[in-house]
Amino acid sequence: MDVREAVKDKANYAEIVKWFQSLGDLDLDQLVLLAETIDAMSEEIFEHYKALCDILKGQLQRIRRICKEVGIENEFPEESMRSRLAYVVKMAGREGAILPEKYAWLAE
């Protein structure tokens, strides 16, 4: 699915939610895509917007738990990976999907 194109039409929002739900545990590139999709969505279709925010929150909770156990440097050894994670955390906070203070250490 080309999510960047699909998000331009509100009629595709339900499909986008189903697609992200079908992916299971997201990798960093998919997390970035999810955060950017939420940013591009119209909040007027709140049900779908909220569903994507919930997916993002759940994924960040999973990552936070893993990073607490093994360390962020072990889970994301490359600086570019940690930068993408920080980008997602900042966008998720801006969109109201997470409480930024709970995840700030992932964005440092």
Side-chain angles (χ1 to χ4, degrees):
M1 168 180 276
D2 184 356
V3 175
R4 287 185 169 84
E5 281 301 312
V7 77
K8 293 177 183 177
D9 184 356
K10 293 175 188 171
N12 295 326
Y13 284 9
E15 259 184 70
I16 294 169
V17 171
K18 286 179 187 173
W19 185 75
F20 275 109
Q21 288 171 332
S22 74
L23 295 178
D25 290 344
L26 305 181
D27 63 28
L28 280 176
D29 291 332
Q30 292 167 330
L31 278 175
V32 169
L33 179 61
L34 175 56
E36 290 177 347
T37 300
I38 292 168
D39 190 49
M41 285 184 90
S42 170
E43 290 183 46
E44 295 171 354
I45 316 297
F46 185 75
E47 176 184 330
H48 301 307
Y49 176 85
K50 177 74 169 114
L52 290 182
C53 285
D54 289 345
I55 293 169
L56 182 57
K57 180 180 180 178
Q59 293 294 321
L60 287 174
Q61 286 173 335
R62 176 183 61 83
I63 289 171
R64 186 180 73 176
R65 186 175 52 256
I66 291 168
C67 289
K68 280 186 176 181
E69 291 174 11
V70 301
I72 192 168
E73 290 84 12
N74 291 328
E75 184 65 17
F76 302 105
E78 298 172 23
E79 179 61 36
S80 64
M81 297 170 90
R82 291 189 298 275
S83 293
R84 285 185 289 171
L85 179 58
Y87 172 75
V88 170
V89 168
K90 289 174 184 172
M91 287 191 76
R94 190 177 73 220
E95 295 297 330
I98 61 167
L99 293 173
E101 56 272 9
K102 282 182 75 173
Y103 296 83
W105 63 277
L106 291 174
E108 295 174 346

